[in-house]
Amino acid sequence: MNDGTKNGPGPPAHRPATTEDLLRLHAPQVLGALVRRYGHFDLAEDAVQEAFIAAAQQWPAAGAPDNPRGWLIKTASRRLVDQLRSEEARRRREENAAALTPRDAFTAPPPGESRAPSEDDTLTLLFLCCHPELPAAGRTALTLRAVGGLTTAEIARAHLVPEATMAQRISRAKQKIKGVPFRQPGPEDRDRRLATVLQVLYLIFNEGHTATSGSELHRADLAHEAIRLTRSVRRLLPTEGAVTGLLALMLLTEARSAARTGPHGELVPLDEQDRTRWDRAAIAEGTALVEESLSQGPAGPYQLQAAIAALHDEAASTEETDWLQIVALYDELVRRAPGPEPMAELSRAVAVAMAHGPEAGLAELKGLEKELSGNHRLDAVRAHLLEKSGDTEGALAAYRSAANRTLSVPESRYLMMRAARLRA
């Protein structure tokens, strides 16, 4: 059985761990230890970030300590205690801390040992950062910072917003969950909260795999961070089909990333990609995880999408892809969805066109015009199918419309290039 830990959350086996690797690896455990001990998520998170900055300044020159996690916990604890002492209720907080803190609280635990289960802390932090009262943008930003170990500046760059804007977003999110107990939700709330956690991780991955705006098509660091965090959840919940399916979907999708862009950063569509550049190890791992996820209970959206991705990745060419099976999987995906799934139906229309011809695909698009009105992806798919059907003028207009609506520079360039080809 594939346990989904082939590459783990740490660095690849062929190179030693860097300071950045170590900080991201220990981020949730260090923050979890502080929140468990003192509460005050917002102040603890600030203290952890200060400890990380200190490590980033000291470790490259002096070398990482033998117990990086213990060093970080001690340093962050000192920062947090300093903050607490400066508060108006200093005396009461110190008395409470003294009463609750074990005698060895400031002793760095040896590697592999901890008073609290560090892996459980990772999942608890994910649930806390994905609290249902937080807006979607706040959940994503807080997850990347508190669990992923990214700095505010890194998160701001990934989302193409000023650092001050992202700092405000994170601050508002931390204030929103101030006072929320640091514990996993009860059984009655667990499934709903887990669905939110997976949704946030998938949103992070999608933004990394295909950036919705900016000059880059692919933000590898963001996509890889989503995979790393999903691996962590997978280790904690190995029998959850949705978690296994999401990890499989990410791996199978990211396996094609090297072939998705040309030498100048231009987009290369799936049917034109050099499949020898696909990551076969990731495909093998993802395919094994798909099979495992389908044995872990009724197939949900992540398992079904992963199964579709596996069919694409295993095919030797576009022509040899099992399009009828892909259409059947999309039918099941749309049927099981609790509400409208316009993007899934759009992808289904493409599969219908590949299986039954462009006219059949265009007929499917008519039912999506209301829900996807103004969406550049609808125009892009329509342009592609019109071009295949021989309607040059219609395709030209649709390509131009899609190019004008997308915020992604590589996508816009690709769509305008397709339009130019039709005029040649």
Side-chain angles (χ1 to χ4, degrees):
M1 179 184 295
N2 191 319
D3 66 358
T5 60
K6 181 178 179 181
N7 295 317
H14 63 272
R15 66 173 177 83
T18 65
T19 296
E20 182 180 0
D21 292 329
L22 291 171
L23 294 181
R24 291 190 177 178
L25 175 65
H26 295 300
Q29 291 86 358
V30 175
L31 179 56
L34 261 68
V35 176
R36 235 177 235 288
R37 187 177 300 165
Y38 303 105
H40 305 288
F41 175 90
D42 53 337
L43 297 179
E45 204 277 331
D46 289 339
V48 170
Q49 287 294 318
E50 290 183 23
F52 282 6
I53 291 172
Q57 293 172 341
Q58 297 177 32
W59 292 2
D66 293 336
N67 181 6
R69 185 188 304 174
W71 189 99
L72 291 166
I73 290 174
K74 287 183 66 175
T75 303
S77 294
R78 290 168 181 161
R79 300 288 202 279
L80 181 56
V81 168
D82 288 343
Q83 292 182 66
L84 294 176
R85 284 174 175 165
S86 67
E87 302 254 337
E88 184 177 353
R90 173 182 58 82
R91 188 182 301 275
R92 176 172 59 82
R93 285 178 176 152
E94 286 183 344
E95 291 173 350
N96 289 341
L100 296 173
T101 302
R103 182 172 297 177
D104 63 342
F106 291 98
T107 302
E113 296 182 19
S114 174
R115 282 178 296 278
S118 60
E119 291 288 7
D120 285 349
D121 280 349
T122 299
L123 191 57
T124 302
L125 278 173
L126 275 168
F127 278 126
L128 185 60
C129 293
C130 297
H131 196 279
E133 291 189 8
L134 291 175
R139 295 173 192 165
T140 301
L142 197 57
T143 299
L144 285 172
R145 174 157 162 150
V147 187
L150 275 66
T151 65
T152 302
E154 289 173 325
I155 301 169
R157 285 197 299 270
H159 288 81
L160 303 178
V161 299
E163 185 174 350
T165 300
M166 185 55 67
Q168 291 178 349
R169 188 178 297 175
I170 293 172
S171 179
R172 285 194 296 267
K174 290 195 291 186
Q175 289 300 314
K176 191 80 172 178
I177 61 173
K178 190 174 183 178
V180 176
F182 185 71
R183 61 170 180 262
Q184 293 188 27
E188 69 285 351
D189 193 33
R190 179 177 172 278
D191 288 345
R192 179 171 66 92
R193 295 284 290 277
L194 178 60
T196 301
V197 168
L198 298 184
Q199 181 184 45
V200 168
L201 293 177
Y202 193 34
L203 286 172
I204 294 171
F205 174 79
N206 279 334
E207 184 60 28
H209 185 72
T210 304
T212 55
S213 60
S215 60
E216 299 295 328
L217 178 69
H218 183 231
R219 299 174 193 162
D221 56 341
L222 213 53
H224 294 169
E225 187 62 23
I227 292 174
R228 185 183 76 84
L229 294 176
T230 306
R231 284 189 187 279
S232 294
V233 180
R234 159 82 175 143
R235 285 198 306 277
L236 300 170
L237 302 171
T239 61
E240 284 285 347
V243 178
T244 306
L246 178 58
L247 179 58
L249 175 58
M250 290 180 177
L251 290 170
L252 290 165
T253 304
E254 186 65 9
R256 302 191 293 264
S257 61
R260 292 178 66 238
T261 54
H264 305 294
E266 67 275 17
L267 185 150
V268 180
L270 181 63
D271 59 350
E272 297 178 14
Q273 289 177 15
D274 178 0
R275 299 186 180 219
T276 64
R277 300 184 63 196
W278 290 1
D279 186 341
R280 291 295 159 186
I283 291 172
E285 182 184 2
T287 301
L289 287 172
V290 171
E291 295 173 357
E292 188 172 340
S293 73
L294 294 175
S295 70
Q296 293 177 328
Y302 298 124
Q303 296 97 308
L304 291 170
Q305 291 179 82
I308 292 169
L311 288 172
H312 282 299
D313 288 9
E314 291 178 323
S317 66
T318 300
E319 293 73 23
E320 295 178 62
T321 303
D322 190 347
W323 291 106
L324 289 175
Q325 181 64 21
I326 289 176
V327 171
L329 287 169
Y330 272 122
D331 286 341
E332 191 67 12
L333 179 62
V334 171
R335 185 183 70 81
R336 295 192 184 195
E341 289 285 346
M343 296 311 296
E345 293 182 51
L346 184 61
S347 296
R348 178 185 174 278
V350 175
V352 168
M354 296 302 296
H356 304 293
E359 290 79 9
L362 288 167
E364 296 289 335
L365 294 185
K366 292 180 180 178
L368 300 175
E369 291 176 353
K370 182 178 180 181
E371 291 178 312
L372 292 176
S373 177
N375 188 297
H376 79 281
R377 298 195 187 283
L378 176 63
D379 285 333
V381 170
R382 180 183 289 113
H384 178 66
L385 298 184
L386 286 171
E387 181 181 357
K388 282 186 168 294
S389 70
D391 185 351
T392 301
E393 291 302 319
L396 182 62
Y399 276 130
R400 287 174 174 169
S401 176
N404 290 332
R405 285 173 168 163
T406 182
L407 297 177
S408 168
V409 174
E411 283 189 345
S412 179
R413 287 175 178 166
Y414 167 75
L415 293 164
M416 291 305 295
M417 179 191 69
R418 298 293 301 211
R421 284 183 185 176
L422 294 178
R423 279 299 189 197

